[in-house]
Amino acid sequence: MNEIHLHNTLSNQTEPFVPQRPGEVTMYTCGPTVYDYAHIGNYRTFVFQDILRRFLKLRGFRLTHVMNLTDVDDRIIANAAAKGVSIRDYTEKFAQAFFDDCKTLSIESPEHWVRATDNIDSMVQLIQRLQEKTYTYPSEGSIYYRIAKFPDYGKLSKIDVTGIQAGARVDVDRYEKESARDFALWKAPKPGEHFWDTPIGRGRPGWHIECSAMAMKYLGETIDIHTGGVDLTFPHHENEIAQSEAATGKHFVRYWLHAEHLLVEGEKMSKSLGNFFTLRDLFAKGYKPSALRFALASVPYRRQLNFTFDGLQQAASAVERLRNFADRLAQGKFAPGQYPGMSERIAKAASDFDAGLSDDLNTAQALAAAYDLVREANVAIDKGEFRQDDVAAAQQFLATFDRVFAFLEDNDAAKLNELGYAKDANALSDSEIEKLVADRQAARKRRDFASSDRIRQELAERGIILEDNRDGSVRWKRK
Ligand code: AMP
Ligand code: ZN
């Protein structure tokens, strides 16, 4: 096995991964802000975290992973107040949708789910510790963090804080690097807004103190890994460091990992730009959960991922190829014995797979390791050369692969049914149908009848009927 290397935003280097306690890893992930449905950009980051957690477990670490639900932030407070409902009533629908989406994308549940609203006491206590150490000051019922008092401010995001005016403040949770200021730890309520009555006054926590308090409460004052999307580096994670390290005097996080964004036609997918898709949007168009998971997982997390429907279609074919190969292994009748070189070939795939993931989670390399093997083994099967005694090793490799990627189980239809997505033939566009028909033709040509049957079956389930002509061409029509 290879030494695991991870890129640490703090050092801006790829470092050997050595947890504090041998064999154990503590990890904190900033979860969704449940003010709306999460979009597939968000899930790019959550799938990356899932691959990371699954890989660490595969490598035998005992993992304690905490993910929070941000159910207090400016937008939630404002929206709940505007609707005149409680925070729980406002956020519950989105929280539930998030859990459903995670299940659908085979994102494992972390060891602990924590909600900001369940941990207000810990946030208040952390602010009190900061008050005792004079890192804070009050203003108009709110409490601010004095960044000038924390000399390391800027060490994660590398912003230059010289020249920042002492005492300049920012009240909103989210702001740009250019407006680095003293930020709000505790916010006085505006009329109609929800608040908590606490020893530090009436109000509600700022977004940043939430994660510092919950991370340390559940994982201790120094944690191994903290993850999020790149947009969280500043101000969120910079402020988490300032709060936690000022309070404890200890190093807060040993490895900071940040996923690059998912883009749509070169632009960040975001709710504010309006160029976003939710999982529901894609499933309604007839795309499968496994195809989306593949598309999101296939680009290494530190590279931007350009989302296209073509890419999603290719991802669907890639998943099919893998499932077909697994079926061929399970159902094929092979001659006894071993095919010379095959067990070495499978061992090489396993070692390339591990090397890829060990190299800062290079998923593209890990996938290539599997797909190269699938291609070569399929050729051997086609030629009748693959042998019975190689089946178990190939299956063993696929099982290991799938502990991280989770593509093999053919459960898309079940997941969609569970979520109430009926299959709708009209959801497939003509060009999508043409593409599947062409894929089927290609499969028949290479005599891969498992694949061609599967595609015919899939089209039939979606109300598309194929008619094979004598000359080998195919016509399709909607039922
Ligand atoms: P939020 O709900 O806004 O707090 O975001 C949840 C997670 O999604 C955070 O880790 C963000 O950094 C991440 N995120 C937001 N937009 C994108 C995007 N376009 N691509 C990838 N990750 C994103
Ligand atoms: Zn956070």
Side-chain angles (χ1 to χ4, degrees):
M1 271 190 294
N2 301 275
E3 185 176 44
I4 298 176
H5 285 76
L6 297 173
H7 182 271
N8 190 346
T9 311
L10 192 60
S11 62
N12 197 19
Q13 305 222 336
T14 301
E15 303 173 8
F17 175 65
V18 185
Q20 299 174 82
R21 286 179 293 279
E24 278 179 46
V25 177
T26 49
M27 173 155 123
Y28 185 86
T29 292
C30 292
T33 308
V34 282
Y35 80 105
D36 200 346
Y37 294 108
H39 57 63
I40 59 169
N42 301 130
Y43 287 108
R44 196 269 161 118
T45 296
F46 295 122
V47 165
F48 139 66
Q49 286 148 174
D50 184 56
I51 301 272
L52 174 61
R53 63 166 278 131
R54 285 168 173 271
F55 179 53
L56 292 172
K57 287 199 320 182
L58 176 68
R59 291 287 297 261
F61 289 105
R62 206 151 11 100
L63 178 68
T64 311
H65 180 196
V66 172
M67 192 178 323
N68 77 302
L69 283 181
T70 302
D71 60 357
V72 181
D73 97 324
D74 292 340
R75 294 166 299 189
I76 291 170
I77 293 288
N79 292 0
K83 290 195 160 195
V85 295
S86 70
I87 291 179
R88 232 353 114 85
D89 282 346
Y90 179 74
T91 56
E92 197 52 35
K93 173 171 83 174
F94 303 120
Q96 214 44 58
F98 181 74
F99 293 136
D100 285 348
D101 286 353
C102 285
K103 225 166 125 193
T104 310
L105 282 180
S106 302
I107 294 172
E108 282 186 347
S109 209
E111 280 64 33
H112 302 281
W113 273 114
V114 297
R115 284 176 195 253
T117 46
D118 290 334
N119 290 281
I120 302 292
D121 287 355
S122 310
M123 297 161 203
V124 168
Q125 284 158 20
L126 184 55
I127 295 172
Q128 287 174 316
R129 275 172 92 178
L130 290 168
Q131 284 177 323
E132 280 159 26
K133 295 191 167 187
T134 69
Y135 281 92
T136 69
Y137 60 91
S139 175
E140 296 172 26
S142 295
I143 302 172
Y144 294 87
Y145 185 98
R146 194 190 304 279
I147 60 173
K149 177 138 171 100
F150 186 69
D152 277 347
Y153 196 83
K155 70 177 173 180
L156 182 72
S157 57
K158 326 294 179 220
I159 58 158
D160 181 7
V161 288
T162 51
I164 289 180
Q165 221 187 324
R169 293 188 291 275
V170 51
D171 285 305
V172 290
D173 286 329
R174 287 158 213 259
Y175 50 92
E176 303 295 320
K177 280 186 187 178
E178 298 69 48
S179 19
R181 311 248 168 92
D182 291 349
F183 58 92
L185 297 165
W186 188 254
K187 303 188 187 197
K190 297 195 188 83
E193 281 184 356
H194 187 91
F195 62 83
W196 282 264
D197 242 327
T198 74
I200 56 172
R202 279 189 167 186
R204 62 175 168 102
W207 174 36
H208 315 298
I209 198 76
E210 295 174 16
C211 283
S212 275
M214 291 187 284
M216 296 199 293
K217 173 171 172 185
Y218 291 94
L219 296 171
E221 293 183 343
T222 299
I223 63 183
D224 288 312
I225 302 178
H226 194 315
T227 64
V230 277
D231 56 311
L232 298 193
T233 311
F234 187 88
H236 188 50
H237 292 162
E238 193 70 65
N239 291 352
E240 278 189 45
I241 292 175
Q243 297 162 151
S244 296
E245 298 193 354
T248 66
K250 293 185 189 151
H251 192 56
F252 174 43
V253 169
R254 302 173 68 247
Y255 298 85
W256 284 98
L257 270 59
H258 290 104
E260 272 296 340
H261 276 151
L262 176 144
L263 307 180
V264 192
E265 284 152 27
E267 277 203 282
K268 177 186 161 188
M269 175 173 283
S270 80
K271 287 167 197 161
S272 48
L273 291 173
N275 61 350
F276 69 94
F277 300 106
T278 63
L279 264 61
R280 281 152 186 76
D281 297 333
L282 297 185
F283 299 155
K285 285 179 192 287
Y287 292 99
K288 291 179 179 175
S290 58
L292 182 59
R293 181 172 167 94
F294 187 101
L296 298 178
S298 58
V299 176
Y301 77 97
R302 288 209 306 125
R303 270 198 248 146
Q304 290 182 331
L305 189 160
N306 197 24
F307 175 79
T308 62
F309 284 99
D310 245 12
L312 198 52
Q313 200 72 55
Q314 282 166 23
S317 312
V319 171
E320 284 305 301
R321 215 173 318 140
L322 202 68
R323 290 179 181 174
N324 283 331
F325 178 62
D327 286 352
R328 290 186 98 182
L329 288 177
Q331 288 158 19
K333 298 267 172 288
F334 305 104
Q338 282 193 317
Y339 178 49
M342 188 47 79
S343 73
E344 291 79 7
R345 181 63 195 83
I346 295 168
K348 180 176 178 328
S351 126
D352 289 351
F353 171 76
D354 185 72
L357 291 176
S358 300
D359 179 12
D360 195 25
L361 237 49
N362 187 336
T363 48
Q365 189 182 328
L367 288 173
Y371 280 90
D372 286 349
L373 173 68
V374 169
R375 195 183 54 247
E376 290 170 36
N378 267 331
V379 170
I381 296 175
D382 292 342
K383 290 188 182 159
E385 292 170 346
F386 198 88
R387 297 299 174 84
Q388 187 57 39
D389 292 355
D390 292 317
V391 170
Q395 287 177 325
Q396 172 65 43
F397 168 71
L398 284 183
T400 304
F401 167 92
D402 216 49
R403 281 177 64 188
V404 176
F405 282 106
F407 298 143
L408 275 176
E409 198 186 336
D410 194 355
N411 56 3
D412 290 291
K415 283 173 168 175
L416 293 178
N417 278 338
E418 206 178 310
L419 287 177
Y421 292 99
K423 289 201 166 161
D424 177 2
N426 296 325
L428 272 185
S429 68
D430 287 5
S431 65
E432 287 162 345
I433 297 168
E434 303 278 1
K435 169 83 178 56
L436 284 167
V437 170
D439 287 349
R440 173 171 172 266
Q441 288 289 73
R444 292 169 80 195
K445 209 160 165 190
R446 57 172 196 272
R447 308 187 66 73
D448 176 2
F449 297 114
S451 297
S452 65
D453 286 350
R454 193 194 277 269
I455 296 172
R456 173 191 271 278
Q457 175 66 24
E458 184 190 337
L459 284 165
E461 280 173 15
R462 294 166 82 169
I464 312 295
I465 301 168
L466 301 185
E467 289 171 2
D468 292 321
N469 297 326
R470 282 218 179 123
D471 63 359
S473 64
V474 182
R475 281 199 325 178
W476 62 265
K477 61 178 188 209
R478 293 192 161 93
K479 246 190 245 169

